[in-house]
Amino acid sequence: TERSATRQEIITQLGPAHSYALLIGISDFDNAGWHRLEGVGPEIQKIGGALSAQGFTIVPESHTGRMDHAALKTAIERFFSTYGQKAEDRLVVYVATHGYSRDLDTVGVNYIITHDTEIGANIDRDSLYATALPMVAISNAIATRVKAGKAAIFLDTCYSGAFAVDDSVLRDSRDDTVGKQMSHVSGRFILAGSSSQEEALDGVDGHGVLTEVLLKGLSGDADRQVAGNHDGKVSVFELGEYAKAKVPELAKQVGHG
């Protein structure tokens, strides 16, 4: 019928929903205070393969090696603005690097460490403000700039867990506005792999606990357990709920809990 033809034309114009992933692994650092992360490259490859198997396109902006704080911020913002403007699409950002806890910062801010971040015995901690990426910048972006209905950011870093462990995202954040925005956004997550007082949880097949949980979740466990709907596919929502439930469990099993 004419109505059916019109509907099909609209569907064709809109195109199918798409899934995109930005993978960032920072392994090398200029400052001696940050040791080289040998396992980042293999982690990125494994996560990329698992996401690809679930239908995600790994965007060409993905990067492993050296990346400064300005480039990291730009990469994440451009990813959201380029790939996150359709409600039916789904997004995943995975970042592996060092992190810095708000408990150690002079004004109580969590940071993602990049290759140019300055910190050390003779460096004022306030230099973090100028040379690292505040994690709240990411939460602001996903809360206010992303139209995609399902989006998740996974941070496999040291000292980042207090930043995000549940749907409110900023459990201990001083930015109440962002916290409230995110608490009402279904299917959006920012999850980290360690507690604020702990170093990154390593020791599971040579990589962090969060990465291990994500790999198992993407293999199908997230669809079969926790919030899974058993439809044979792993959704962003299922993966986020699975990671929230399983990271603490696995951390205790390997002796970090």
Side-chain angles (χ1 to χ4, degrees):
T1 66
E2 182 177 350
R3 179 175 295 180
S4 297
T6 301
R7 184 184 299 114
Q8 185 59 46
E9 181 179 354
I10 292 174
I11 292 173
T12 301
Q13 290 175 348
L14 290 175
H18 295 285
S19 303
Y20 302 102
L22 173 68
L23 310 181
I24 302 292
I26 303 176
S27 57
D28 298 286
F29 307 88
D30 291 343
N31 191 277
W34 311 114
H35 65 269
R36 189 173 191 276
L37 297 175
E38 300 286 349
V40 162
E43 284 188 356
I44 292 293
Q45 291 181 348
K46 290 179 180 179
I47 290 292
L51 285 166
S52 295
Q54 288 293 333
F56 280 83
T57 297
I58 309 304
V59 301
E61 295 85 355
S62 296
H63 179 81
T64 303
R66 293 167 60 84
M67 178 175 279
D68 63 35
H69 67 286
L72 177 58
K73 183 174 184 290
T74 298
I76 293 174
E77 289 177 346
R78 285 183 176 173
F79 175 72
F80 288 152
S81 63
T82 301
Y83 303 99
Q85 299 308 301
K86 293 184 178 180
E88 66 271 20
D89 291 344
R90 57 181 186 161
L91 307 178
V92 164
V93 175
Y94 172 86
V95 179
T97 181
H98 286 295
Y100 201 85
S101 170
R102 67 163 20 132
D103 298 328
L104 303 176
D105 181 51
T106 55
V107 293
V109 173
N110 286 312
Y111 291 95
I112 296 174
I113 303 306
T114 56
H115 89 248
D116 61 332
T117 300
E118 298 177 356
I119 191 66
N122 300 318
I123 298 177
D124 192 320
R125 288 175 179 171
D126 283 337
S127 64
L128 282 169
Y129 177 76
T131 60
L133 180 62
M135 292 186 186
V136 69
I138 296 178
S139 68
N140 276 321
I142 195 172
T144 62
R145 300 294 181 182
V146 177
K147 296 179 181 178
K150 306 298 181 183
I153 299 176
F154 298 105
L155 305 172
D156 195 355
T157 69
C158 315
Y159 292 120
S160 54
F163 170 67
V165 271
D166 54 29
D167 288 338
S168 64
V169 176
L170 298 178
R171 180 184 61 182
D172 298 320
S173 175
R174 298 161 192 262
D175 189 339
D176 292 333
T177 301
V178 173
K180 290 176 181 176
Q181 287 174 332
M182 291 300 297
S183 67
H184 292 91
V185 181
S186 175
R188 295 187 187 180
F189 299 88
I190 305 178
L191 302 174
S194 62
S195 297
S196 61
Q197 297 292 339
E198 301 169 349
E199 294 185 3
L201 303 180
D202 293 318
V204 183
D205 294 332
H207 49 246
V209 167
L210 175 60
T211 296
E212 175 68 11
V213 168
L214 293 178
L215 291 172
K216 287 185 176 180
L218 288 166
S219 73
D221 282 3
D223 177 56
R224 296 185 291 266
Q225 303 177 29
V226 190
N229 63 4
H230 303 270
D231 67 349
K233 302 176 183 178
V234 176
S235 71
V236 170
F237 175 78
E238 289 171 340
L239 186 60
E241 291 292 335
Y242 177 83
K244 286 194 300 179
K246 295 298 182 180
V247 166
E249 292 180 7
L250 184 57
K252 291 181 180 179
Q253 291 177 19
V254 298
H256 294 285

